[in-house]
């Protein structure tokens, strides 16, 4: 069986997961062309080589009307360079329903957003239909989620496993103020998933990253016995002593 193993020793975020999976495709340019033809307003997705600790991988850029959103660490969720319209779950699901992608991909995207909405509703003590995605509902984050779900569909592994998730440590700045790492919604999305902190200061796992792992990973633990066929490195923005990346390994297992 074909197994995809995700090494989350430096956490997980939507853009890093998309970049790591993109490296596993033989036709990366075709996928980027298809992403940019989805009709997400003002969205352009590009990919370029990135080097962390001497290792070359891919960094994905998501531009909104020609500008790349500022990010606190990996993703586009906590720090924005300018104001966005706050988006409810119903509006996001309407937009998802119009995407020209396979229905299985649309359902994965819906499931990811519903899990984020559920976590946010528990954090804020508000019904799900009153949750506004002021941090994860922007178009650039939607592009990350759609990209990962569509790549999973194209790669079509028989199973997806992952390492325990490094969440980082310290605090993160978001729209509500200063919050502990992992951020409250991220912590809820990681319920039942093995995770740990460490010496790295900052947010290594974002809500989008946690929701994507929850959707696709069936087992967390050490790398299983694999005959590795391809390896992808999805690079983050910041530099640390450790290579700031998600590593994706696709291979066969007879176990």
């Amino acid at each position: 069986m074909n197994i995809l193993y995700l090494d989350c020793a430096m956490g997980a975020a939507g853009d890093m997961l998309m970049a790591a999976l993109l490296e596993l495709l033989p036709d990366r340019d075709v996928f980027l062309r298809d992403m940019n033809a989805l009709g997400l307003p003002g969205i352009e997705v590009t990919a370029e080589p990135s080097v962390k600790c001497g290792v070359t991988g891919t960094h994905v850029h998501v531009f909104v009307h020609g500008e790349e959103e500022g990010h606190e660490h990996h993703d586009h969720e906590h720090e924005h360079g300018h104001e966005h319209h706050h988006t409810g779950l119903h509006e996001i699901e309407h937009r998802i329903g119009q995407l020209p992608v396979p229905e299985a991909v649309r359902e994965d995207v819906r499931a990811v957003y519903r899990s984020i909405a559920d976590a946010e509703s528990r954090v804020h003590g508000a019904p799900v239909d009153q949750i506004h995605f002021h941090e994860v509902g922007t178009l650039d984050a939607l592009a990350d989620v759609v990209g990962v779900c569509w790549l999973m569909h194209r790669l079509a592994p028989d199973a997806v496993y992952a390492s325990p998730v490094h969440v980082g440590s310290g605090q993160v700045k978001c729209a509500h103020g200063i919050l502990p790492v992992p951020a409250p919604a991220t912590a809820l999305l990681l319920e039942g998933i093995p995770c740990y902190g460490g010496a790295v200061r900052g947010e290594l796992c974002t809500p989008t990253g946690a929701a994507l792992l929850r959707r696709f990973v069936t087992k967390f633990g050490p790398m299983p016995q694999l005959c590795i066929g391809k390896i992808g490195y999805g690079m983050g923005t910041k530099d640390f002593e450790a290579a700031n990346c998600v590593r994706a390994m696709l291979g066969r297992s007879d176990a």
Side-chain angles (χ1 to χ4, degrees), residues 158-216:
D158 296 311
V160 182
Y161 302 155
S163 70
V165 183
H166 188 177
V167 299
S169 64
Q171 298 173 320
V172 62
K173 183 180 180 182
C174 74
H176 300 288
I178 306 296
L179 297 175
V181 171
T186 305
L188 288 175
L189 287 160
L190 290 171
E191 281 184 340
I193 293 173
C195 52
Y196 60 97
V200 177
R201 300 284 292 181
E203 180 192 40
L204 299 185
C205 186
T206 65
T208 296
L212 287 164
L213 293 176
R214 174 169 289 280
R215 176 62 179 174
F216 289 107

Side-chain angles (χ1 to χ4, degrees), residues 122-234:
R122 291 169 65 189
V123 168
H124 299 300
V128 169
D129 59 5
Q130 293 180 17
I131 293 299
H132 285 174
F133 291 85
H134 51 282
E135 294 181 14
V136 295
T138 50
L139 284 168
D140 54 333
L142 180 58
D144 286 342
V145 174
V146 173
V148 172
C149 292
W150 206 1
L151 283 163
M152 285 288 192
H153 181 77
R154 292 193 180 196
L155 292 167
D158 296 311
V160 182
Y161 302 155
S163 70
V165 183
H166 188 177
V167 299
S169 64
Q171 298 173 320
V172 62
K173 183 180 180 182
C174 74
H176 300 288
I178 306 296
L179 297 175
V181 171
T186 305
L188 288 175
L189 287 160
L190 290 171
E191 281 184 340
I193 293 173
C195 52
Y196 60 97
V200 177
R201 300 284 292 181
E203 180 192 40
L204 299 185
C205 186
T206 65
T208 296
L212 287 164
L213 293 176
R214 174 169 289 280
R215 176 62 179 174
F216 289 107
V217 177
T218 55
K219 184 167 69 173
F220 291 85
M223 187 177 81
Q225 179 176 317
L226 279 182
C227 181
I228 297 173
K230 291 185 178 180
I231 302 175
Y233 290 88

Side-chain angles (χ1 to χ4, degrees), residues 1 22 138 243:
M1 61 188 295
L22 182 63
T138 50

Side-chain angles (χ1 to χ4, degrees), residues 8-92:
C8 302
M10 287 298 284
D15 57 344
M16 295 171 71
L17 286 165
M18 177 158 55
L21 297 178
L22 182 63
E23 285 216 324
L24 301 178
L25 281 186
D27 52 352
R28 302 177 200 177
D29 291 340
V30 171
F31 178 78
L32 291 172
R33 183 195 66 200
D34 291 346
M35 277 292 297
N36 287 317
L38 284 178
L40 293 173
I43 287 290
E44 181 187 8
V45 181
T46 67
E48 66 178 15
S50 175
V51 179
K52 301 291 182 185
C53 298
V55 177
T56 300
T58 294
H59 180 70
V60 166
H61 299 274
V62 178
F63 296 94
V64 183
H65 299 297
E67 296 185 17
E68 187 171 20
E69 300 297 279
H71 23 284
E72 177 72 14
H73 179 53
H74 290 252
D75 227 339
H76 316 284
E77 296 164 4
H78 296 297
E79 197 79 33
H80 296 291
H82 46 266
E83 283 297 313
H84 288 285
H85 171 64
H86 290 191
T87 305
L89 182 60
H90 177 75
E91 185 176 339
I92 287 178

Side-chain angles (χ1 to χ4, degrees), residues 227-248:
C227 181
I228 297 173
K230 291 185 178 180
I231 302 175
Y233 290 88
M235 302 307 196
T237 303
K238 288 191 173 182
D239 292 314
F240 298 103
E241 289 186 8
N244 184 18
C245 65
V246 168
R247 180 167 61 173

